[in-house]
Each structure stands twice: as C-alpha cells, then as structure tokens.
Amino acid sequence: MRYLLFLNRFELDLNNLFSKFKKLDSNATFKEDISGLIVDANLLVEEFMDFQEISKITILFKNDWKAFSFKDLKEDCLSLCQKFNVKSYRVENKFHNKTKISAKSLYRHINPYLKHEGLGFDENGDIIYLEIKKFDKDLKYRLSYSNNNLWDLVGNPLNVDLSKFAVVIENPTLVLEVSDFLRLCWIFKLPLYVVTNNKPNFEKILKKAKEETKGIDYEKMTLKIFEKLPSEYSLIGFSKHALNNEKDLNKVLKQLDLGKNKIAFVFGDDKFGLSQETRDKLNYCFRLTPELKKPLRGSHALSYVLGLYVNSKL
C-alpha cells in the first residue's frame, strides 16, 4: 500500500522515523514529498495512528501525478469512491502553486458528477484529497483517500464544559496582549468582550493583533467591543492587591457552578491593571500565585485560572 503521510510541525528526525517504520515492515520504502512523506509498506493504516510525528494519513490513488483535465478528474474521483466503498464524501483540495483553476470550479465539476452516480456530499464524509500542481507548463493532479479518523489525528481532547464563561479585557493597549487573549479565547471557545473608551484606537491594535495571530476563524469567534461591562455576567476580576486567593476562587466557582450563573473573568491592561470604576463593579476579586509583588500578565492569568478550573473537573 502506498501512503501519503502529513507530518506534524516540530523538530523531527526522519531517519529515526524511518527506523520505526522498518521495525513494522523491514521492506518499507520512504520518499520525501511536497506534502509530507510517501511510504510504501505492507502495513495496515491503523499501524501508523500511534506515531505522534504524523498529523494526517491518506492512501494514494493510482500512485502518481496525472495530466489535468476535468473529464479525467471526475472519472478518477468516482473510481476512488468505488475502490474505497465511499458512500458520502467531501473534497479537500490543495493548490501547490498558482493556477487559473479555482476551488469553486473544481466543486462545480466534481459534485454534480458524483451526485449523478448516487454519492452525496457530507461535511463529515470520507475525504477525497485533491492536489493540483504546475510542473513547468504542465498542470497535474493527484488524488488520495482518507476518512475523518485518519484526516485529523489528535489525542482524546478534554471534554470540560466552559460554555458559561466569558473573558473581558479593559482598555488593552498592547498588540501582544490582545493577540494572546485572542488565541486563548479561540482555543477554549470563549467569548471575548473588550471594554474601551477609545474604540478607534483599539480597532487599530486589534487589526495588528489579528495579523500576528494565525489560524483563527473570526467569523466563528465571539468578539465584541463595549463601553461598559456586560451586565448579564457575574464578574470575577484579578488584582495583586486583592485579599482573596485561589482557594477562595475555587469556592466561588463551585458555588456559581451550582446555579445558572454566567461568569466573566475580567482583566485589566497589562500596564495599569483594572480601573477603579471596574474594580468597584466586580462581584469578586482575587490575587493569583504565591508572588505578591510581580503580577502575571493578563493572558497568563487567564491560562492559570482556566487550568485551575479544568483541573477541578478532571
């Protein structure tokens, strides 16, 4: 079987990886590829799934690149579905360089053709992985097959409900600070509310922060700008001058968990902290860590608090 393996982006010793494959199949061969690594081996696909070096697995169809034509492409997509007994599918495409062909034009040709043959499009269906690359003047394509279990190899994620939480930052002034909050709120699927008395200035900061923060789909993320604190939340703030610590925070979170309270973690600017006006409106305020003089940055404090909460649910 010929596999196309996508590799995770960390320091990687390919010779060490090859040795691991050889222990499973002494006749296995390897070749670096534009997409990752091509492996010819007498191995079941499940035998690759425990390798942390691998992020995705596809099985190559017809093994090599082929001169592009819509007619051949449609027929090969159907043949792939028949070979791997695909009932429903989605197309994942990769353009390795610029071409005049768009992803939409590919879908307009492939989807009606497969639909006519009784196959249905499904966002959770098996994957037809389509690569297109221009070799000098020749446009070629390559197909491979995968499914959701192989397309995104991740460990078992923690399943902790954070839906009642939101994050509020007050008058942020640093691009790095905002980008860190964006990243954390995206990872933990938390709404982010920004309270500011200078919206035009913050929007400039936000634009730069978005440029520095890759991989966030802002259409799916809740990000809102207000002049006042949101009123529908119990407000928990953090300050090095607060009298209560993490033990008190845990008690409060347990109490709030028992009700239907929505909870907002409120953080001040990394330079000046929370304003007096905001501190007076908080329902609770806590200091964090054993350090009394040097406080955490806001985004670090959020990570610390989320860690405490998630750990209490494990």
Side-chain angles (χ1 to χ4, degrees):
M1 186 76 73
R2 174 166 286 189
Y3 297 98
L4 174 60
L5 308 180
F6 298 77
L7 303 178
N8 281 312
R9 294 182 180 180
F10 51 63
E11 185 177 351
L12 185 64
D13 184 340
L14 285 179
N15 289 326
N16 184 47
L17 181 59
F18 296 162
S19 297
K20 292 181 182 180
F21 293 150
K22 285 285 190 182
K23 290 180 180 178
L24 298 175
D25 178 8
S26 59
N27 296 317
T29 61
F30 322 95
K31 181 174 70 173
E32 291 188 63
D33 181 77
I34 189 172
S35 292
L37 189 68
I38 291 177
V39 177
D40 284 284
N42 186 25
L43 296 172
L44 297 175
V45 68
E46 290 79 11
E47 295 180 81
F48 291 106
M49 294 179 67
D50 291 332
F51 286 86
Q52 64 176 342
E53 295 90 347
I54 300 171
S55 64
K56 293 179 174 65
I57 303 171
T58 67
I59 302 171
L60 281 170
F61 178 69
K62 295 192 175 179
N63 293 340
D64 214 343
W65 296 90
K66 184 174 179 179
F68 183 89
S69 77
F70 281 113
K71 179 179 181 296
D72 289 343
L73 174 60
K74 292 187 294 185
E75 292 175 352
D76 280 344
C77 285
L78 177 60
S79 297
L80 180 150
C81 292
Q82 292 170 339
K83 177 178 179 179
F84 294 105
N85 195 29
V86 173
K87 302 301 182 184
S88 61
Y89 74 94
R90 75 177 192 263
V91 177
E92 295 282 348
N93 57 270
K94 172 68 176 180
F95 293 91
H96 289 289
N97 42 32
K98 291 184 178 180
T99 71
K100 294 181 179 179
I101 297 172
S102 68
K104 287 184 178 179
S105 66
L106 294 172
Y107 302 149
R108 283 198 298 265
H109 282 81
I110 295 171
N111 289 344
Y113 185 82
L114 295 184
K115 182 178 180 180
H116 183 266
E117 299 296 330
L119 294 164
F121 171 82
D122 185 343
E123 289 186 355
N124 297 313
D126 291 347
I127 292 96
I128 299 173
Y129 184 60
L130 167 60
E131 300 172 87
I132 295 179
K133 187 176 187 301
K134 198 169 186 179
F135 294 85
D136 295 327
K137 296 182 179 180
D138 298 324
L139 188 64
K140 296 185 178 183
Y141 70 92
R142 182 171 69 180
L143 291 173
S144 53
Y145 163 80
S146 187
N147 60 46
N148 282 329
N149 291 331
L150 305 176
W151 184 245
D152 195 7
L153 295 178
V154 295
N156 295 323
L158 286 174
N159 186 21
V160 177
D161 184 9
L162 298 174
S163 60
K164 66 167 54 182
F165 295 105
V167 176
V168 177
I169 51 176
E170 181 189 28
N171 292 322
T173 58
L174 301 176
V175 173
L176 177 61
E177 173 188 7
V178 175
S179 64
D180 283 348
F181 273 106
L182 288 173
R183 187 176 292 108
L184 276 170
C185 289
W186 171 250
I187 290 171
F188 288 97
K189 303 296 182 283
L190 299 171
L192 176 60
Y193 301 124
V194 179
V195 177
T196 178
N197 51 20
N198 191 341
K199 184 176 179 180
N201 184 62
F202 172 72
E203 287 177 336
K204 293 178 183 178
I205 295 172
L206 178 61
K207 181 180 179 181
K208 293 180 180 178
K210 286 183 175 181
E211 291 172 355
E212 293 185 5
T213 309
K214 307 298 183 183
I216 296 177
D217 185 347
Y218 289 100
E219 292 184 359
K220 297 181 180 179
M221 179 178 176
T222 300
L223 172 61
K224 296 182 179 180
I225 304 171
F226 296 108
E227 292 184 358
K228 297 181 179 180
L229 291 167
S231 59
E232 67 271 28
Y233 290 89
S234 293
L235 302 175
I236 298 179
F238 301 92
S239 169
K240 69 176 182 179
H241 302 296
L243 299 178
N244 296 318
N245 60 25
E246 291 96 324
K247 287 186 178 180
D248 305 297
L249 172 61
N250 280 332
K251 292 177 183 177
V252 168
L253 289 177
K254 287 178 181 178
Q255 291 172 358
L256 295 176
D257 259 351
L258 295 175
K260 296 181 179 180
N261 306 66
K262 297 174 69 176
I263 304 165
F265 296 129
V266 185
F267 301 90
D269 171 63
D270 274 358
K271 289 183 179 179
F272 306 110
L274 293 168
S275 68
Q276 181 65 57
E277 180 183 1
T278 293
R279 289 201 301 273
D280 290 342
K281 292 179 180 178
L282 295 174
N283 300 103
Y284 308 94
C285 192
F286 302 94
R287 61 178 173 83
L288 302 171
T289 78
E291 173 61 47
L292 299 179
K293 295 181 180 180
K294 187 71 173 177
L296 294 171
R297 286 172 49 188
S299 58
H300 295 169
L302 175 58
S303 298
Y304 186 81
V305 170
L306 290 174
L308 290 174
Y309 181 79
V310 170
N311 184 63
S312 71
K313 296 298 180 181
L314 297 181

